[in-house]
Amino acid sequence: MAGHRVRWQGLAASALGGALAGYLAHDLAASARAYCDAGWEAGGKFELFFEMLLLVPGCAVLALLVWLLARRVNPVVGVAAVVLVLWAVVVWYFAAQGTLAGYPGDSGLCGPDNVPPWWPAWLPS
């Protein structure tokens, strides 16, 4: 009985963590676009909103799949795999959608690559 509870808790935690990571990726990209004023007009906002509708459940499903595959090795490996995959998705989404290189930003706060100064230089963008 306790094994079933642990399995359901792992499934629920990974799905919730995936949904949270999807929303974090969206919010991070939206914050970068707003800060640099690049792609922050009505069409850009609609695009990000539409992608969020797919990104949040998509990350939840991805986290579930990673958890189900990796937990068979070891629960600690399962958690580490879920965190690593979700971190990679958040960074990739920020680099792909949050920093629009070459887009004419009007805020004057960012360079031509539209990477905000608060983004760590050691992370890809």
Side-chain angles (χ1 to χ4, degrees):
M1 184 69 127
H4 291 294
R5 185 178 331 147
V6 170
R7 183 169 36 154
W8 284 108
Q9 287 173 346
L11 289 172
S14 63
L16 184 61
L20 185 65
Y23 182 76
L24 175 68
H26 165 267
D27 193 47
L28 194 59
S31 295
R33 283 188 179 192
Y35 187 85
C36 296
D37 196 25
W40 196 239
E41 68 282 343
K45 289 179 184 178
F46 178 75
E47 171 198 4
L48 283 178
F49 175 75
F50 183 72
E51 287 177 359
M52 182 187 66
L53 295 178
L54 300 173
L55 187 66
V56 171
C59 283
V61 169
L62 177 65
L64 279 172
L65 291 175
V66 170
W67 168 254
L68 288 173
L69 292 173
R71 76 175 172 86
R72 296 183 186 274
V73 176
N74 184 337
V76 174
V77 171
V79 171
V82 168
V83 169
L84 182 65
V85 166
L86 291 177
W87 178 82
V89 167
V90 169
V91 171
W92 170 81
Y93 188 78
F94 174 79
Q97 295 298 324
T99 60
L100 304 174
Y103 195 94
D106 294 335
S107 72
L109 300 172
C110 303
D113 57 356
N114 289 319
V115 177
W118 45 261
W119 184 251
W122 56 272
L123 284 174
S125 59

